[in-house]
Amino acid sequence: MTATVARPAPPRRPGARHRAASRQRREMWLLMLPAMVPVVLFSVGPLLYGIGLAFTDARNTRNHQTAFVGLENFTRLLTDDEFWASFQIGAIWSVSVTVLQFLAALGLALLLNEKLRGRAVARVLSVVPWAMPPVVVGLMWKLVYHPDAGILNDLLGTHINWLADFSLALPAIIVVGVWAGMPQTTVVLLAGLQNVPKELYEAGAMDGAGTWRRFWNITLPQLRPVIVAITSLDFVWNINQFGLVYVLTQGGPGGRTRLPMLFAYEEAFRYRMAGYASMLGLAMAIVVLAVLGLYLWRQMREAR
């Protein structure tokens, strides 16, 4: 019997490999095209248009001839006391809400990670604020803070107008921001806790480590990547907050809750200064990128 030996396939020529790679790239771009078109039209396009408007004297009025003004809007921004006041309020708001959100969400995530009765129901209830639109949350909390019929004044036996008081309005909306934004932070931290190997806790317990020591030396280091990611996202969401605060106070009283995005909104739609409002948005984007870049750099440096 004679054995048949299969003839080896001839090696593929470099030109054929290049054509196959080119065809694969074309197919990849064709598959990505349906998803990229809406992103370019509704995200990248308006972003580039807004950056262009920041260097013009564009106004939301008829028969206005838009002209290029260079850095004139930026110079005005640097000397605008109202902008710096709103920037200070925005910094207080975003840092306070981000820190308090994280602390409250971490405590809740640790609680929901324990084997407690009714844990599944508690997990569902904890994400209810996340499912509510900002307008609904704002209207609901306006009723809570109502000076005459609000449940908060009924519990405290007072008649305080929380959202109209110059010293209490900002802390009041910070509480609302923490309540509304805590669920997504809780979900992310809870997912991170469930990925921590249980062997580490068992080894720590065998070494005599108590609850606090296991939390400090095991839980927090294991959660570091999750904490960096979620706090960065929370900071971006909070500093760009608009709808919730607008429904609650519209920036009042006396501008005490006027966040930078509310200030830009007023410049664009109340005073019709579209060019200056675009420069405000561009400046805030640069500030956010700078703060996030510094924060992430420090976190990465500590992780090394």
Side-chain angles (χ1 to χ4, degrees):
M1 177 181 289
T2 58
T4 58
V5 179
R7 179 179 297 178
R12 183 175 294 182
R13 292 175 298 176
R17 288 198 298 268
H18 179 72
R19 287 193 296 271
S22 299
R23 183 172 63 254
Q24 187 177 9
R25 284 196 296 269
R26 287 196 299 270
E27 293 175 352
M28 179 186 69
W29 282 107
L30 287 175
L31 292 174
M32 291 174 60
L33 190 61
M36 291 179 61
V37 169
V39 173
V40 172
L41 289 178
F42 302 112
S43 182
V44 178
L47 175 63
L48 296 177
Y49 180 69
I51 293 175
L53 282 182
F55 300 95
T56 68
D57 63 347
R59 298 186 180 183
N60 296 328
T61 57
R62 290 185 178 182
N63 303 324
H64 175 72
Q65 298 295 327
T66 301
F68 178 78
V69 296
L71 296 177
E72 182 178 325
N73 289 327
F74 183 73
T75 305
R76 175 186 171 187
L77 181 148
L78 293 177
T79 58
D80 193 339
D81 293 336
E82 292 188 4
F83 166 73
W84 289 111
S86 70
F87 181 80
Q88 182 180 2
I89 294 169
I92 295 172
W93 154 271
S94 55
V95 173
S96 300
V97 174
T98 301
V99 172
L100 293 176
Q101 272 181 1
F102 168 72
L103 294 177
L106 180 60
L108 183 57
L110 290 171
L111 181 63
L112 295 177
N113 195 44
E114 297 295 328
K115 295 181 179 179
L116 302 175
R117 181 178 298 178
R119 183 177 62 174
V121 177
R123 287 179 177 180
V124 173
L125 294 178
S126 66
V127 299
V128 168
W130 194 9
M132 300 173 65
V135 174
V136 176
V137 173
L139 293 175
M140 182 184 71
W141 277 91
K142 285 188 74 172
L143 295 177
V144 172
Y145 285 137
H146 196 277
D148 298 323
I151 187 174
L152 183 59
N153 281 324
D154 286 343
L155 293 175
L156 298 177
T158 58
H159 295 280
I160 301 174
N161 194 346
W162 298 88
L163 299 178
D165 189 282
F166 279 74
S167 59
L168 297 177
L170 184 57
I173 67 170
I174 287 175
V175 171
V176 181
V178 172
W179 183 86
M182 188 175 65
Q184 67 264 28
T185 309
T186 302
V187 170
V188 174
L189 292 176
L190 181 59
L193 286 172
Q194 292 177 344
N195 288 325
V196 177
K198 295 182 180 179
E199 293 80 6
L200 296 177
Y201 293 112
E202 295 174 357
M206 292 179 63
D207 291 339
T211 303
W212 172 252
R213 189 175 175 185
R214 291 198 300 269
F215 170 76
W216 189 259
N217 294 328
I218 298 176
T219 304
L220 283 183
Q222 292 293 318
L223 286 179
R224 180 183 293 273
V226 178
I227 293 173
V228 172
I230 192 59
T231 52
S232 301
L233 291 174
D234 283 343
F235 178 77
V236 173
W237 290 330
N238 291 327
I239 203 169
N240 289 317
Q241 183 63 252
F242 173 80
L244 180 63
V245 180
Y246 183 81
V247 173
L248 285 169
T249 62
Q250 296 186 4
R256 296 301 176 91
T257 61
R258 183 191 294 163
L259 303 184
M261 293 301 103
L262 270 74
F263 181 69
Y265 170 82
E266 290 180 352
E267 291 294 327
F269 296 100
R270 178 176 297 180
Y271 305 113
R272 302 184 181 278
M273 305 295 293
Y276 184 53
S278 299
M279 179 57 73
L280 292 172
L282 178 60
M284 288 305 302
I286 294 174
V287 169
V288 170
L289 291 176
V291 172
L292 279 181
L294 178 62
Y295 174 70
L296 294 175
W297 175 75
R298 287 189 60 183
Q299 293 295 328
M300 293 175 63
R301 184 177 180 182
E302 292 177 1
R304 293 175 184 174

